[in-house]
Amino acid sequence: MRTFFEAATGFPTFFFTVSLLVALGFWLLVAVGAAGSDTFDGDADLSGCGLGGVPVAVAFSLWTGFAWFGSLCMTVLLDPVASSGPARALTGLTVLGAAALASWCVTWGLVRLLRRLHSDEPGPPRPDFMGMTCTVRSDRADDGFGRAGVLARDGSTAMVRVRRRGTDDPVRGGTELLCAYDEADGSFGVGRREAELHPRGRAA
């Protein structure tokens, strides 16, 4: 038990231990209703690294858990071999990179499976959101990144990718109109502010 504790609190597993504790703390907040599993979905897009399609918190927690377990096991197994200072440091760096990469591979496979399971659930095709209003959820929404929530006709809320159209930058919490759909990356163009969506009537 002491060996595992020292490995979990030593280099390089310590980094994954801290991340794992953060993830566990977050899911504790979710369990008591203080946070939602999609809390970070508006702040990050993991599609670029192959982990999109599931909540950011789920992908991060899976990656962290596998990386922690892999790093812990490799550290314990290789500890008798790496006894000197330079060898221990080199081994630690190798374990750090190997655990992160192996965890990404496992997480990528699980995320693909989760996406397939989720795709079986009925829902409106994303192009059907055209012309509907959305609420910007990300801190920024520009030509290359943006997330927004859309209230679908069936009453469900969907997160969609949005891209700026025009010169004005959509702001977090602002209401925008989904005015274009790009099939290449599944994103909508937005560019009209709330004042334009709900203009005030002129006095008679």
Side-chain angles (χ1 to χ4, degrees), residues 93-119:
L93 291 174
T94 303
V95 168
L96 181 65
L101 180 59
S103 177
W104 177 85
C105 293
V106 177
T107 304
W108 177 79
L110 285 178
V111 166
R112 287 193 64 186
L113 178 61
L114 291 174
R115 281 203 301 257
R116 290 179 181 177
L117 294 176
H118 181 71
S119 64

Side-chain angles (χ1 to χ4, degrees), residues 46-57:
L46 301 183
S47 300
C49 57
L51 302 181
V54 298
V56 172

Side-chain angles (χ1 to χ4, degrees), residues 29-164:
L29 293 177
V30 173
V32 299
S37 60
D38 60 349
T39 298
F40 301 105
D41 288 3
D43 301 316
D45 187 354
L46 301 183
S47 300
C49 57
L51 302 181
V54 298
V56 172
V58 172
F60 175 78
S61 300
L62 288 174
W63 178 84
T64 299
F66 290 126
W68 177 84
F69 181 76
S71 178
L72 181 67
C73 292
M74 286 188 284
T75 299
V76 172
L77 292 175
L78 296 177
D79 184 69
V81 180
S83 56
S84 62
R88 183 178 295 272
L90 181 60
T91 301
L93 291 174
T94 303
V95 168
L96 181 65
L101 180 59
S103 177
W104 177 85
C105 293
V106 177
T107 304
W108 177 79
L110 285 178
V111 166
R112 287 193 64 186
L113 178 61
L114 291 174
R115 281 203 301 257
R116 290 179 181 177
L117 294 176
H118 181 71
S119 64
D120 293 336
E121 300 179 2
R126 297 210 164 182
D128 285 359
F129 292 151
M130 180 82 74
M132 301 177 67
T133 57
C134 67
T135 302
V136 179
R137 299 300 185 188
S138 55
D139 290 331
R140 62 183 178 89
D142 50 32
D143 298 334
F145 178 80
R147 299 294 293 273
V150 184
L151 182 62
R153 294 183 177 88
D154 62 359
S156 63
T157 301
M159 292 294 295
V160 298
R161 300 179 185 178
V162 293
R163 302 292 184 262
R164 177 186 59 188

